[in-house]
Amino acid sequence: MSLSRRDLVGSLTAAAAATLAGAAQAGDKKQGTSPLPAGGAAPAAPAAPSATGPFTLAPLPYADTDLAPAISQNTLAFHYGKHHQGYATKLNELVAGKEWADKSLEAVMKGTYGTDKLPLYNNSAQVWNHTFYWQSMKKGGGGAPGPGKLADAIKASFGDGDALKKELTQAAVGNFGSGWAWLVQEADGKLKVLKTPNADNPVVLGSGRPLLTIDVWEHAYYLDYQNKRAEYVAAWLDKLVNWSWAESQMA
Ligand code: MN
C-alpha cells in the first residue's frame, strides 16, 4: 500500500478538526455546543484538538455532502465522525502506555493479526480500512476507468468493466454479515476481487495490493437503504467508485 502513515493518520490539522467537529455536530445535534465564548467574540483560531493519542484521522477527501444522494450527509457524518472516529478513539485507549503507541498503524494491525490481541487488531484494521474506503469514492465517480494501465488490467483480468462490476457486486452483496469487498492487484499484476469478514483486509492476509474497497457493514448504508445492500452497492459502483484512486494504487 502506498499511503504513508502521515497520509493515513497525520497530525490532526485545524481543517481536520473542523471537519470532525462538523461531522460530530451533524451526527448528533444535541451535543453540538457553540464554540463562541459568553462574550460573543469569535475565537482567533479553532480550538486545538484534544490530544487523545497517536492515531488521528485524516480529513475526509471531500465534503460530507458531496456523495449525496448515493450516500447521504447523515450517513457520511455518522460513518466518519462516529464509527471511524470511534475505532481511532478505542485504538488510542488500547495503545496508551504500551509499545504499540510508537508503531505505525500498519505495524499495529499486522503485528496483532492472528494473535490474542483481538481488540487491538480489530480497531487498528478498521481505522486503516475506513481511510482506504473514503479514498475509494469521489464526488462524480462511477462510470468506467479512462484509458491507462487500470483499464488494461481490467480487460486482461476480467474481460471488461461490466464483468468486474459483476464480481464486485457478488462479493459485496454476497459477503455474509459485516465485512468488505476489495479489488486487489496480485504479485503477477493480475487483478482479483475478494471479500473479507469483519475487520480483515488484504494487507494482513497477504492477498494482494488493495486498489478499492466497499464497506458492507450495515452502518455504511442502513440509514439510506435499510436492508437493501444490493441497491447501495449498485449506487456505489454507478455514482461513487474512484477509478483514478484505484489506478494510483497499482504497482
Ligand atoms: Mn464502516
Side-chain angles (χ1 to χ4, degrees), residues 137-248:
M137 305 182 283
K138 69 174 185 179
K139 180 178 183 161
K149 65 179 181 178
L150 177 63
D152 292 345
I154 289 171
K155 192 171 181 205
S157 304
F158 301 99
D160 59 37
D162 285 345
L164 165 59
K165 286 184 181 179
K166 191 174 170 188
E167 278 203 37
L168 273 170
T169 300
Q170 286 172 344
V173 177
N175 196 349
F176 185 80
S178 298
W180 303 80
W182 303 85
L183 176 65
V184 303
Q185 184 181 31
E186 300 191 284
D188 64 2
K190 281 242 179 181
L191 308 188
K192 188 175 71 174
V193 167
L194 55 95
K195 59 190 177 191
T196 59
N198 302 316
D200 286 354
N201 64 50
V203 178
V204 299
L205 297 171
S207 47
R209 296 171 65 88
L211 304 184
L212 291 172
T213 193
I214 311 175
D215 187 346
V216 295
W217 284 58
E218 279 190 346
H219 66 229
Y221 61 88
Y222 205 86
L223 294 175
D224 297 330
Y225 299 90
Q226 292 76 52
N227 61 318
K228 298 184 283 287
R229 186 190 289 184
E231 291 186 15
Y232 155 68
V233 172
W236 198 96
L237 288 169
D238 283 346
K239 309 290 187 194
L240 300 179
V241 59
N242 184 350
W243 294 118
S244 53
W245 168 257
E247 185 159 88
S248 76

Side-chain angles (χ1 to χ4, degrees), residues 79 83-84 87 126 130 133-134 180 215 217 219-220:
H79 200 174
H83 291 276
H84 195 191
Y87 294 124
Q126 284 291 80
H130 283 87
Y133 171 68
W134 308 135
W180 303 80
D215 187 346
W217 284 58
H219 66 229

